[in-house]
Amino acid sequence: MGQGFPECGVGASRPVRAVVALGSNLSGDYGSPLDLLEAALSFFSQAGLPVLRRSSWWRSSAWPDLSANEYRNGVAIVEATMDAEATIQRLLEIERRFGRIRGRRNADRTLDLDLIDHGGRLMETSVLTLPHPRAHERRFVMGPLAEIAPDWRHPRLGRSASDFAAEAVIGLDARPVP
């Protein structure tokens, strides 16, 4: 079994590297979804999740409703000193701070933060599944991740971000924003 970042411990008292996917297709109180994403990402450190690396922003059609607003996406690798459950709760708090209102699945949103990996941990609870169960199928997640961590290995499947980016089946039009 491979690990996302095997050099990091998994315990809450020891920092781990966590992979967070960011997405937006509504600007909320900001000029554009990209402005909102930049503001959210700059807030991560204040929220206790300092950014170690970040991808460029990518664009892709909405999925599964291609008629919805186009998305902007990216990936950040953050340092988490809290366990996976606390990390996802912190991400949900950040979403709310930036105007996210949860409703219909796959609806337009100001901010979507997904915890993709948390120190290579495998878990499945009613609140959180790690690694994220569908991230490896999505080019708008794996493309940005391959930019900053091409050798990242899926903790359950053992394949690299680069492999998944090349073989993704969802978000095939995803590409970096010029």
Side-chain angles (χ1 to χ4, degrees):
M1 165 175 38
Q3 290 202 351
F5 292 106
E7 72 276 13
C8 295
V10 178
S13 62
R14 187 170 169 201
V16 300
R17 291 182 187 175
V19 177
V20 178
L22 301 92
S24 175
N25 73 340
L26 296 175
S27 59
D29 293 335
Y30 296 82
S32 70
L34 280 179
D35 292 339
L36 184 140
L37 288 168
E38 285 290 345
L41 195 59
S42 69
F43 184 74
F44 273 42
S45 288
Q46 188 177 340
L49 297 167
V51 176
L52 302 173
R53 282 184 271 171
R54 61 168 285 187
S55 71
S56 62
W57 296 121
W58 286 51
R59 65 187 312 159
S60 66
S61 298
W63 183 89
D65 180 3
L66 300 177
S67 68
N69 295 331
E70 187 175 74
Y71 271 84
R72 298 298 181 264
N73 298 94
V75 168
I77 297 171
V78 302
E79 181 179 85
T81 55
M82 57 197 90
D83 65 22
E85 294 88 347
T87 300
I88 193 64
Q89 290 307 315
R90 185 66 49 90
L91 293 174
L92 293 173
E93 290 168 14
I94 295 169
E95 283 185 351
R96 285 189 294 276
R97 179 181 179 89
F98 285 87
R100 172 77 186 265
I101 298 170
R102 290 192 174 264
R104 182 176 50 88
R105 187 177 176 148
N106 297 318
D108 289 342
R109 61 203 63 177
T110 54
L111 183 60
D112 186 30
L113 301 175
D114 288 327
L115 185 57
I116 306 304
D117 178 33
H118 190 275
R121 183 165 182 207
L122 301 175
M123 69 179 289
E124 190 167 339
T125 70
S126 61
V127 176
L128 180 63
T129 299
L130 287 173
H132 186 286
R134 295 169 302 283
H136 66 282
E137 300 172 343
R138 299 172 175 176
R139 184 168 292 150
F140 52 83
V141 174
M142 289 294 128
L145 181 55
E147 254 185 32
I148 59 173
D151 296 327
W152 171 87
R153 295 252 171 228
H154 190 286
R156 189 174 307 279
L157 303 175
R159 299 189 58 220
S160 73
S162 292
D163 289 343
F164 288 124
E167 299 170 10
V169 295
I170 297 171
L172 297 180
D173 67 335
R175 64 195 180 284
V177 173

